[in-house]
Amino acid sequence: MPKLKTSRSARKRFRKTGTGKVRRYHAFKNHILTKKTSKRKRALRKASLVHPADMKRIRRLILV
C-alpha cells in the first residue's frame, strides 16, 4: 500500500497537543463581527479540542 499523504487543508486547521489530543480553532470569527457580542468574540479566540467522536477521522487526515 502506498504512503498516505497528509491532507494539506487539515494540516492548517488542526494541531496535535503534547498529550496526543487534537486542537482546533473556532469558526465564525472572520466576518460579520458587528452583531456578535464582545464576550462571544473573545470566547471564539481560544482554541478547543476536537470532539472524541471526530478524533479518529481527523487523526487520519493529519497522520498523527
Side-chain angles (χ1 to χ4, degrees):
M1 191 171 143
K3 292 181 183 179
L4 290 173
K5 286 189 175 183
T6 300
S7 167
R8 305 311 276 173
S9 59
R11 185 185 67 91
K12 295 168 190 170
R13 287 169 172 78
F14 303 103
R15 191 156 299 163
K16 195 177 96 164
T17 64
T19 56
K21 295 174 183 172
V22 181
R23 192 177 70 172
R24 68 174 179 89
Y25 287 100
H26 289 277
F28 308 110
K29 183 64 176 63
N30 285 320
H31 61 115
I32 316 175
L33 297 172
T34 51
K35 64 172 79 169
K36 295 168 189 162
T37 63
S38 300
K39 180 180 177 180
R40 181 174 166 192
K41 289 186 281 192
R42 202 163 46 242
L44 290 173
R45 277 186 222 146
K46 299 178 181 176
S48 63
L49 296 175
V50 169
H51 193 274
D54 301 318
M55 195 74 76
K56 186 177 177 184
R57 254 181 333 127
I58 302 301
R59 278 212 179 113
R60 188 177 296 137
L61 287 173
I62 59 175
L63 299 178
V64 173

